[in-house]
Amino acid sequence: FFSSTMRLSNLLLVVAPSAVTAWVSQSSPAVAMTSRLRLPSSLHSVRVLGVCGGIGSGKSQACKTLVEDLGCWAHLEADTIAHKVYEPNSQAVKDISQEFGSGILNENGQVDRKQLGAIVFSSADKMSQLERIVWPHVKTEIQAIVESYREQTPPEGKEPILVLEAAVLVDAGWLDLLDGMWVIDVPTTVALERLQSQRGLSAEDAQTRIEAQQSRRGIGNLQDEVDKGVVSCVITNDGSTDELKAKLGKALRDEASWYH
């Protein structure tokens, strides 16, 4: 139902301490730099790396590579975390029901996604209302997970870096959770080809999905967020998986890719 635009979990799915921005691409590993105020990330024993990117960019593959091949501790998917806030009798569900009416709940007290989707996807104002309700609850869940990791010691061979994946990191106001904000970027032509060859989408459907995300900060206005220091690193993923791994590894070792 939601695949034609975005999954509802993405809805359940600012500003952060000094940042230096590095733009990582095949031709120029670090060409864009800017700075801004941020609390010192050295206060944190565990670093949280936010990873954002549009559909077809390969951000999930990048997160997987960071954890499985490059030694980051864990991959936190905001979509998965968001499901918890939809549990029956959760405060988020109570708030959603109060805002949109009890009719959006089924007999088990669960959110009827079809009913809620019909409301929010027909009105930008309703969508904004849902986001304002749910995003803070998801943030609270993310904070709890991060704190639980801070009470542990990373396994042997792992660095104390948590990779948080979400397309809405900037819009949701989660930058204060992060020690770095990376965007996985890709030329539109490459994204279109991937969506057609890997997901079986038509050219028209693929284009529609790409355009639907252009209102998201860090995706549709990437250069602006780089200039403001919100995005601390851009990885251009237009090559092979080995090339992506090399770029990610280089960025991990480069302090310019993190907030300071």
Side-chain angles (χ1 to χ4, degrees):
F1 174 78
F2 298 110
S3 60
S4 63
T5 49
M6 69 172 72
R7 286 174 290 180
L8 185 58
S9 58
N10 284 342
L11 308 177
L12 315 184
L13 270 175
V14 112
V15 192
S18 137
V20 179
T21 302
W23 194 298
V24 179
S25 66
Q26 285 185 318
S27 59
S28 178
V31 297
M33 286 191 171
T34 186
S35 63
R36 64 193 181 88
L37 295 176
R38 193 193 195 289
L39 296 172
S41 58
S42 59
L43 293 177
H44 305 291
S45 60
V46 174
R47 279 179 160 180
V48 180
L49 173 61
V51 177
C52 178
I55 188 170
S57 66
K59 68 178 179 297
S60 294
Q61 179 61 50
C63 293
K64 180 179 178 181
T65 299
L66 285 164
V67 173
E68 294 185 1
D69 299 329
L70 296 173
C72 292
W73 192 354
H75 177 193
L76 311 181
E77 296 181 86
D79 282 0
T80 301
I81 296 169
H83 286 299
K84 187 172 182 179
V85 308
Y86 268 143
E87 291 179 354
N89 298 316
S90 69
Q91 187 58 51
V93 168
K94 292 177 182 177
D95 293 344
I96 293 169
S97 176
Q98 182 175 0
E99 179 66 33
F100 296 99
S102 59
I104 56 93
L105 302 180
N106 62 25
E107 63 275 10
N108 298 317
Q110 299 171 319
V111 171
D112 185 322
R113 298 192 178 200
K114 185 174 182 179
Q115 291 271 12
L116 183 57
I119 296 171
V120 300
F121 285 117
S122 64
S123 167
D125 288 341
K126 295 294 185 182
M127 178 73 77
S128 295
Q129 289 174 13
L130 178 62
E131 292 170 345
R132 285 195 297 271
I133 292 170
V134 176
W135 283 346
H137 290 292
V138 179
K139 182 177 183 178
T140 298
E141 293 293 336
I142 294 170
Q143 288 173 312
I145 293 170
V146 171
E147 288 307 313
S148 72
Y149 274 99
R150 287 190 169 129
E151 296 173 357
Q152 305 173 47
T153 300
E156 184 177 355
K158 290 292 187 179
E159 295 295 328
I161 299 173
L162 304 177
V163 180
L164 174 61
E165 176 186 355
V168 298
L169 279 171
V170 186
D171 295 282
W174 298 345
L175 290 186
D176 59 323
L177 302 178
L178 308 179
D179 294 281
M181 165 68 179
W182 295 8
V183 171
I184 309 302
D185 190 37
V186 65
T188 300
T189 53
V190 176
L192 284 169
E193 191 280 326
R194 288 175 181 168
L195 292 174
Q196 292 175 80
S197 64
Q198 298 175 12
R199 304 195 191 184
L201 300 181
S202 67
E204 182 179 3
D205 195 11
Q207 184 68 45
T208 298
R209 296 193 187 199
I210 290 172
E211 291 176 353
Q213 291 189 325
Q214 294 309 297
S215 63
R216 290 296 177 198
R217 289 182 61 193
I219 297 176
N221 70 333
L222 177 56
Q223 188 59 57
D224 288 344
E225 303 299 345
V226 169
D227 292 342
K228 290 186 291 187
V230 171
V231 173
S232 60
C233 181
V234 179
I235 305 289
T236 303
N237 181 27
D238 57 356
S240 67
T241 54
D242 285 341
E243 289 171 328
L244 175 61
K245 178 181 175 180
K247 292 176 183 180
L248 292 169
K250 184 171 184 176
L252 275 177
R253 297 187 299 269
D254 186 356
E255 282 299 314
S257 299
W258 299 85
Y259 296 144
H260 292 275

